[in-house]
Amino acid sequence: MNTDNSFSSYRWVILALVVVCFCATFVTRFTWPPLITTVAPVLKLSMAQAGSYMSAFYIGYLVTQIPAGIIADKFGVRVVLAVSLMLEGVSTSSLAFTGNYEAGFVLRIIAGLGAGAVYASAARALVEWFPARERGRAFGLLMVAPSAGILISNFLAPTLNQMFGWQGAFMSVGTITFVAGVFVALFMRSNAPRENEKGSLTAGFTFIFQHKNLMLTCVAGFCLMWLQLAVATWANVYIKSIGFTVKEAGAVMMWYGVGGVLSPIVAGFLSDRLNNRRVIVLVSLALTIPLTLWFGYETSLTALYILSFSAAFASYLANPMLNVMVANYAGVQWAATASGIANFLYQIASLISPLVLGLVIDWTGNFSWVWWIMALGPAAGFIVMLNIKEEQT
């Protein structure tokens, strides 16, 4: 068990490493949405097929969530993180050479396999290196990565596309991710004994799946992810559909990224002071519902900038809180396994949400129902959170 003396200053190096790693996985997955309008005509993709490329990523992403958590708890996080990022980097770069829908779909699955191992390992590293009183801020900074990935990809993908074409964009992003894996291999360390090397896998699963509050927290995460992944996939296309350019749509989503970057940091520091993360999640979900609907009916570019920032700030308040709650329920012994299971359940929404909404767009020919379907996620999550009791730390 860790003591206060064991939490050395090297924990900030570990935090920086896992944030960069997690951010790299989001840059690879969200490089696709800004390039949909460029690549889809070249590969002759329908909007449902374009949306399925995000779903393909999450097929692979889901497969490795739980095994990666188990392996990280037993053998440590360094090798898991390094190999995962390298695999994701190679497969993303290879998208530059695809010439049809099927090949791209397979490569997106492979990229997802690499990305899927990252979060559980990152969560384990933070539980090892940070005391409970600092985990809110640590996970808050980690959860900057999803929004930072959206922000960076919405700036980087159009810029690289303009400079080098869409093939160059994928090659560049893949190379960055591969290099991140090299850095992990060189600098990642462990700060706790791997208590489960001789432990029972069945005991871990029994503990996790019988823990009511932990499982309800996972359901709330599913509801939140239903919205967040849908916005990240389809907001660019919606903004372009109401008359704005690809560059303007990217600028709107950059503001979404800024809101999502700042929000987890604020939530993390606030939660460590208040020690009541459940309330922060409830406030987040309650604000997200009307902001989502308002965004979907707004046609002013200036208003879209403001709403994208506000909606992201509101929704991403909840992300680090849900993850800290899961980690605290599990403890250091099952931190990676529980985080892998939780993220697996969260990401089922990521698998189906882009495809479902793509089908709705193809069916209706517009976005009239899309924002209401998105808002159902946080509405359901709010109801679930009312039934959760948080364990104080």
Side-chain angles (χ1 to χ4, degrees), residues 32 35-47:
W32 173 242
L35 297 177
I36 285 176
T37 55
T38 299
V39 182
V42 176
L43 299 183
K44 297 181 173 60
L45 306 180
S46 68
M47 286 298 98

Side-chain angles (χ1 to χ4, degrees), residues 6-359:
S6 72
F7 295 110
S8 73
S9 59
Y10 198 76
R11 69 188 184 278
W12 302 108
V13 176
I14 298 299
L15 178 59
L17 280 173
V18 298
V19 169
V20 169
C21 292
F22 202 34
C23 184
T25 71
F26 281 90
V27 173
T28 57
R29 77 187 73 182
F30 289 127
T31 293
W32 173 242
L35 297 177
I36 285 176
T37 55
T38 299
V39 182
V42 176
L43 299 183
K44 297 181 173 60
L45 306 180
S46 68
M47 286 298 98
Q49 288 176 318
S52 75
Y53 268 28
M54 291 300 287
S55 297
F57 187 98
Y58 284 99
I59 291 172
Y61 195 77
L62 283 168
V63 167
T64 48
Q65 288 293 325
I66 297 175
I70 295 168
I71 292 169
D73 275 336
K74 285 186 174 291
F75 304 113
V77 303
R78 184 173 67 90
V79 174
V80 177
L81 277 176
V83 172
S84 299
L85 287 165
M86 291 176 185
L87 176 64
E88 189 179 2
V90 171
S91 57
T92 299
S93 294
S94 299
L95 279 169
F97 306 103
T98 188
N100 57 64
Y101 168 73
E102 291 77 11
F105 192 89
V106 171
L107 287 171
R108 289 289 284 177
I109 291 175
I110 295 172
L113 289 171
V118 172
Y119 174 72
S121 298
R124 167 80 192 204
L126 294 186
V127 172
E128 284 185 9
W129 283 91
F130 284 84
R133 67 180 182 275
E134 292 182 354
R135 284 180 193 159
R137 70 196 74 176
F139 275 86
L141 290 168
L142 177 66
M143 296 312 296
V144 165
S147 296
I150 295 173
L151 176 63
I152 293 168
S153 60
N154 275 279
F155 168 77
L156 196 61
T159 301
L160 291 171
N161 180 47
Q162 187 174 20
M163 294 173 62
F164 307 115
W166 63 269
Q167 295 95 334
F170 284 124
M171 290 184 68
S172 299
V173 170
T175 300
I176 292 169
T177 305
F178 187 90
V179 170
V182 173
F183 271 85
V184 169
L186 293 174
F187 299 109
M188 179 60 67
R189 298 178 187 172
S190 177
N191 191 45
R194 295 187 289 277
E195 297 170 330
N196 301 328
E197 285 185 349
K198 298 180 180 179
S200 167
L201 175 62
T202 304
F205 271 66
T206 300
F207 170 80
I208 291 165
F209 283 102
Q210 289 184 351
H211 198 302
K212 176 185 174 182
N213 290 321
L214 195 158
M215 296 310 298
L216 286 176
T217 301
C218 294
V219 174
F222 171 96
C223 296
L224 181 64
M225 194 61 64
W226 173 274
L227 168 89
Q228 289 178 342
L229 205 282
V231 171
T233 303
W234 291 114
N236 295 75
V237 180
Y238 164 72
I239 296 164
K240 188 171 183 294
S241 75
I242 59 176
F244 297 107
T245 66
V246 172
K247 185 176 181 180
E248 288 170 329
V252 171
M253 293 308 291
M254 284 179 65
W255 279 107
Y256 186 88
V258 171
V261 165
L262 296 177
S263 179
I265 298 173
V266 172
F269 279 86
L270 186 62
S271 76
D272 283 344
R273 289 181 175 272
L274 298 178
N275 200 27
N276 195 331
R277 297 170 179 107
R278 174 178 170 272
V279 169
I280 296 175
V281 175
L282 286 168
V283 171
S284 167
L285 296 171
L287 291 173
T288 298
I289 297 165
L291 287 169
T292 299
L293 296 175
W294 189 359
F295 184 93
Y297 285 92
E298 187 56 64
T299 57
S300 163
L301 187 60
T302 301
L304 286 170
Y305 288 147
I306 297 170
L307 283 169
S308 64
F309 174 88
S310 302
F313 191 92
S315 70
Y316 281 92
L317 284 170
N319 289 60
M321 302 302 95
L322 293 168
N323 293 323
V324 175
M325 290 171 69
V326 168
N328 286 340
Y329 290 141
V332 67
Q333 182 177 11
W334 303 111
T337 302
S339 296
I341 291 170
N343 210 31
F344 175 87
L345 297 174
Y346 297 165
Q347 301 305 333
I348 292 174
S350 302
L351 176 64
I352 62 178
S353 178
L355 180 58
V356 167
L357 291 171
L359 291 170

